[in-house]
Amino acid sequence: VHTIFVHLLQTDYAWRGAFEGGLRHEDLEPSAYPDLAALRAGFAAEEAAWDAVLAGLGPVDGAIPITVTWRHGFQYDFYRDDLLNHLMLHGRQHFAELAQLLTEYGQSPGDIDLVFLLFE
């Protein structure tokens, strides 16, 4: 469970770098997030950073392509909307995996469908 949460935090962080300036951030150090409190702080910081980035976008900015430079210089063109969709679907995949793990241990997280999260 911890490994999946660190992976999700890493993904949000790395792709934010790509979204902001086309260069994915370097990997986070997993040892910096040894427990739930550290993960919560990391996710809160990342959410605030994403909120700041998204607040600066206009209605058509999602259709602007950006060239993302990956490790070792590999480049790929994305539309910002596609990158955001990737992040959302990536997160949903791992939330489902976490839900399955927790359910197998008798700790179901309950309804995690996006529609339920939107109307909490």
Side-chain angles (χ1 to χ4, degrees):
V1 169
H2 180 263
T3 301
I4 294 172
F5 276 120
V6 171
H7 171 71
L8 286 168
L9 181 58
Q10 166 62 42
T11 301
D12 288 351
Y13 172 74
W15 281 109
R16 182 173 49 81
F19 195 88
E20 291 174 310
L23 185 62
R24 283 178 47 108
H25 290 139
E26 293 295 320
D27 285 347
L28 296 173
E29 183 56 48
S31 64
Y33 304 93
D35 55 28
L36 183 57
L39 281 166
R40 282 185 171 161
F43 278 110
E46 198 54 38
E47 182 178 358
W50 269 104
D51 285 348
V53 169
L54 296 175
L57 296 179
V60 297
D61 288 337
I64 296 173
I66 55 174
T67 300
V68 175
T69 302
W70 296 60
R71 296 181 188 106
H72 311 296
F74 174 75
Q75 293 185 322
Y76 193 81
D77 293 328
F78 283 95
Y79 290 102
R80 286 188 164 137
D81 282 345
D82 292 337
L83 199 151
L84 291 173
N85 282 327
H86 164 69
L87 277 174
M88 185 202 57
L89 293 171
H90 179 264
R92 292 283 94 200
Q93 172 191 342
H94 288 300
F95 291 155
E97 292 168 351
L98 285 165
Q100 181 64 35
L101 284 170
L102 293 171
T103 300
E104 288 174 6
Y105 283 97
Q107 300 295 317
S108 173
D111 293 324
I112 63 167
D113 289 343
L114 184 59
V115 70
F116 296 119
L117 298 176
L118 293 173
F119 298 107
E120 279 189 306

